Amino acid sequence: MALLHRADVRPTKLELLAAWLPDRPWFQGEAGAELERVAAYRFDDPAGEVGIETLLVRAGAGPVHQVPLTYRGAPLDAARRWLVGTCEHSVLGRRWVYDACGDPVYAAALARAVLTGAGQVEEYFEVDGVREVRPQSMTIVADGPRPVAVPEFGPIEQAQEGDPTRIVGEAVELAVVRRLGEHTELPGSRLTGSWEGQPAALPLAYVSPR
C-alpha cells in the first residue's frame, strides 16, 4: 500500500515533466500544448524508501505517453542521465525525481508485479488516524507465463532509452512502452492498462526471463 501526503510540491510533477519530456526521443506532443495527466498507478518499494509512480500524460492532441517515475530522498548513484529534476515536498522535503527506467527499485517492482500478477498497490491518506483510500484512476492487469519462483532482478546491467525502453537485469529483461497503442506485440509476460476514455486494455510493459 502507498501512503500519500496532502502536501504542496514545487515544482509540480507535471511542471517537471513539461520541461523534461520534449527532449526525449520517444516524445510526441502538440507544440505549445499544456501537459495533461490522464491516469496513474503505483507500485510498492518493499523497503519503504522509494516512491514508485507511473503517470500517463498527453500534450494536446498527441498520443498518451507512459512515464514511470521514482521519488527519492537522496540522489541515486550513477543515474544522472535519468534525473528528471528535483522538487520541494512540504512534508518529505527535497525529492529527487527520476525516470524510473534507470532505477533498479522500479525495475524489480515492475518485474515482480507482472510475474506474480500483483498489479498496482492501493493508495491512501491518513486523516486523524482514519485511512482514506484514493480511488484508482486506471486498471492494470498482468497476464502471460508466471514462473514458479520469481527471479530477482538485481542491478541494472543495461538500459536503452527508446520506445519501448529496454531494461536488462541479471535474470530478467523488461520493455516499457512509452507511446501507448503504437507498437507491435513483444514476447513475454505483459502488463496492460485501461482507463476512462480507453476501455480496451493497451500493453504497458513486457517481462521476459533471460
Side-chain angles (χ1 to χ4, degrees):
M1 302 179 73
L3 171 63
L4 306 179
H5 301 278
R6 300 189 190 278
D8 183 54
V9 180
R10 291 290 180 267
T12 67
K13 299 169 191 176
L14 288 183
E15 287 170 343
L16 283 175
L17 290 179
W20 178 79
L21 277 172
D23 292 331
R24 309 279 67 80
W26 40 265
F27 178 72
Q28 293 180 3
E30 186 178 330
E34 184 175 353
L35 196 65
E36 169 195 4
R37 173 176 168 146
V38 176
Y41 62 95
R42 284 183 182 259
F43 296 140
D44 196 26
D45 170 21
E49 295 294 327
V50 179
I52 308 170
E53 181 179 30
T54 297
L55 300 182
L56 305 191
V57 297
R58 174 196 290 123
V64 175
H65 294 77
Q66 178 176 216
V67 187
L69 299 172
T70 51
Y71 311 123
R72 289 176 166 268
L76 175 62
D77 291 342
R80 176 70 186 177
R81 64 178 282 224
W82 300 100
L83 181 66
V84 175
T86 60
C87 62
E88 296 297 330
H89 190 287
S90 61
V91 175
L92 301 176
R94 176 160 294 184
R95 307 296 284 171
W96 280 258
V97 181
Y98 288 92
D99 176 351
C101 291
D103 193 322
V105 172
Y106 165 76
L110 174 59
R112 185 168 55 249
V114 176
L115 294 178
T116 66
Q120 64 185 310
V121 298
E122 188 176 74
E123 300 174 308
Y124 69 96
F125 298 95
E126 286 279 358
V127 181
D128 296 328
V130 177
R131 180 172 294 178
E132 293 185 359
V133 176
R134 183 162 80 172
Q136 295 175 344
S137 61
M138 64 183 295
T139 299
I140 64 172
V141 176
D143 60 45
R146 292 180 186 166
V148 175
V150 176
E152 291 292 330
F153 186 85
I156 293 177
E157 295 183 354
Q158 186 178 12
Q160 298 176 336
E161 189 170 13
D163 190 14
T165 297
R166 297 185 180 274
I167 313 167
V168 181
E170 292 178 344
V172 178
E173 181 171 340
L174 313 175
V176 178
V177 181
R178 296 298 199 163
R179 293 192 305 274
L180 301 183
E182 295 190 8
H183 78 103
T184 57
E185 290 285 332
L186 298 174
S189 301
R190 67 176 188 168
L191 188 71
T192 63
S194 59
W195 56 93
E196 185 176 355
Q198 179 58 52
L202 296 177
L204 302 172
Y206 296 86
V207 180
S208 300
R210 295 184 67 191

